[in-house]
């Protein structure tokens, strides 16, 4: 049990070298939390940043209600940061957004409408504000992922999601797993997801951590890892006990 248990929604925000975005995150997310339809908090996960991100996160948590953080000792990547946040959260729902501010935290209101029914609700980046080259890479990667996983998801790269925490904690995490959340949720009994268009903005500060290798090549390799894992996934439910 920790302080996140006092909320219905914990919004996990992985951070790696985003010092130029922390103040804006503090302002925008800090303003949203009191207005959220359910009791909500933000959990920043510092992924071994080498700039002033951790220092600025610590200051934000001191100055802003409903802000919390954990810090990884070393940089382990987005999937590890997400897993650390999910492992830490004790709320009913766990949300996820990127620290790059390319999505709108207020769109969690749209996702929350469907959260009671669906273990995963995820955004689709409407009118995506990335370069044509990035959009092309994502389109190719998404098409290949759908062919390999049959998950039917439109845009797994959209960094705006809400999951039932109990489902999220049962997801088998691995490097690159953030691209396969719909397919991984579908492995569980009752696992289903819902997609809804959300707003998308150009990056205004900081530097993207994605490039050709981790946007296109790595997802191809990860698809084969998912196929291997999915055939060996252990799925069970306890019927009764005397504990």
């Amino acid at each position: 049990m920790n302080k996140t248990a006092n909320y219905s929604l914990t919004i996990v925000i992985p951070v790696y070298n985003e010092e130029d975005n922390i103040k804006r995150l503090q302002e925008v997310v800090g303003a949203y939390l009191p207005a959220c339809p359910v009791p909500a908090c933000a959990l920043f996960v510092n992924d071994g940043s080498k700039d002033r991100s951790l220092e600025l996160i610590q200051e934000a948590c001191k100055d802003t209600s409903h802000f919390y953080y954990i810090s990884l000792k070393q940089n382990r990547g987005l999937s590890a940061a997400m897993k650390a946040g999910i492992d830490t959260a004790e709320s009913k729902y766990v949300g996820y957004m990127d620290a790059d501010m390319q999505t709108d935290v207020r769109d969690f209101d749209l996702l929350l409408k469907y959260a009671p029914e669906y273990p995963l609700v995820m955004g689709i980046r409407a009118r995506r504000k990335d370069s044509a080259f990035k959009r092309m890479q994502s389109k190719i990667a998404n098409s290949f992922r759908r062919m390999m996983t049959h998950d039917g998801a439109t845009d797994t790269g959209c960094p705006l999601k809400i999951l039932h925490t109990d489902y999220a904690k049962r997801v088998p995490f691995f490097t690159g797993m953030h691209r396969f959340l719909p397919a991984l949720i579908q492995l569980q009994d009752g696992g289903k997801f819902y997609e809804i268009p959300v707003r998308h903005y150009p990056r205004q500060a900081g530097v993207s951590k994605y490039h050709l290798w981790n946007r296109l090549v790595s997802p191809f390799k990860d698809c084969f890892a998912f196929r291997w894992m999915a055939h060996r996934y252990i799925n069970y439910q306890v019927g009764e006990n005397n504990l």
Side-chain angles (χ1 to χ4, degrees):
M1 295 286 289
N2 55 50
K3 293 177 181 178
T4 63
N6 298 321
Y7 300 88
S8 297
L9 171 66
T10 300
I11 301 174
V12 174
I13 308 176
V15 176
Y16 178 62
N17 292 348
E18 292 283 1
E19 63 180 4
D20 294 332
N21 277 315
I22 302 302
K23 290 293 186 181
R24 188 160 165 250
L25 275 167
Q26 179 181 2
E27 177 183 344
V28 173
V29 177
Y32 170 73
L33 293 177
C36 183
V38 300
C41 67
L43 175 63
F44 293 87
V45 182
N46 176 52
D47 185 21
S49 295
K50 297 175 176 62
D51 61 3
R52 295 180 61 239
S53 291
L54 177 57
E55 176 187 345
L56 294 172
I57 289 170
Q58 291 170 330
E59 292 177 1
C61 290
K62 289 179 182 178
D63 298 338
T64 312
S65 299
H66 316 300
F67 272 25
Y68 307 99
Y69 81 93
I70 59 175
S71 184
L72 306 188
K73 292 182 178 180
Q74 295 176 304
N75 172 242
R76 293 301 187 189
L78 179 56
S79 292
M82 288 178 63
K83 174 173 171 53
I86 290 171
D87 287 347
T88 301
E90 296 292 343
S91 51
K92 180 178 181 180
Y93 302 122
V94 59
Y96 159 61
M97 68 175 290
D98 276 348
D100 60 14
M101 299 296 292
Q102 288 194 256
T103 49
D104 196 323
V105 68
R106 294 171 297 181
D107 284 343
F108 275 114
D109 288 3
L110 303 175
L111 275 60
L112 281 166
K113 293 179 182 179
Y114 301 94
E117 183 179 356
Y118 295 91
L120 167 62
V121 186
M122 52 191 287
I124 302 172
R125 288 169 288 189
R127 301 181 181 89
R128 187 172 171 183
K129 304 302 181 182
D130 287 325
S131 69
F133 185 54
K134 287 183 179 180
R135 295 197 302 270
M136 180 191 69
Q137 292 175 55
S138 293
K139 184 176 181 180
I140 294 171
N142 274 312
S143 296
F144 187 75
R145 187 210 69 252
R146 283 192 295 270
M147 181 184 71
M148 294 289 285
T149 66
H150 306 291
D151 61 9
T154 305
D155 181 18
T156 62
C158 179
L160 207 66
K161 298 177 175 69
I162 291 180
L163 301 96
H164 291 198
T165 304
D166 56 345
Y167 274 80
K169 288 182 182 292
R170 292 195 296 265
V171 165
F173 276 70
F174 53 90
T175 299
M177 74 100 234
H178 58 277
R179 305 181 185 98
F180 299 93
L181 277 175
L184 292 168
I185 289 294
Q186 288 175 330
L187 291 177
Q188 301 182 37
D189 290 340
K192 55 183 179 178
F193 68 92
Y194 187 80
E195 298 176 300
I196 187 168
V198 298
R199 288 168 283 193
H200 190 251
Y201 306 103
R203 178 185 270 273
Q204 297 183 11
V207 179
S208 175
K209 312 306 184 294
Y210 290 94
H211 44 73
L212 180 62
W213 180 265
N214 59 21
R215 186 181 286 114
L216 193 58
V217 179
S218 289
F220 282 7
K221 295 169 63 178
D222 292 340
C223 280
F224 291 100
F226 171 82
R227 287 281 292 265
W228 181 90
M229 183 277 303
H231 287 296
R232 292 156 179 80
Y233 178 70
I234 297 173
N235 190 24
Y236 70 91
Q237 290 183 327
V238 175
E240 58 182 79
N241 65 76
N242 71 339
L243 295 173

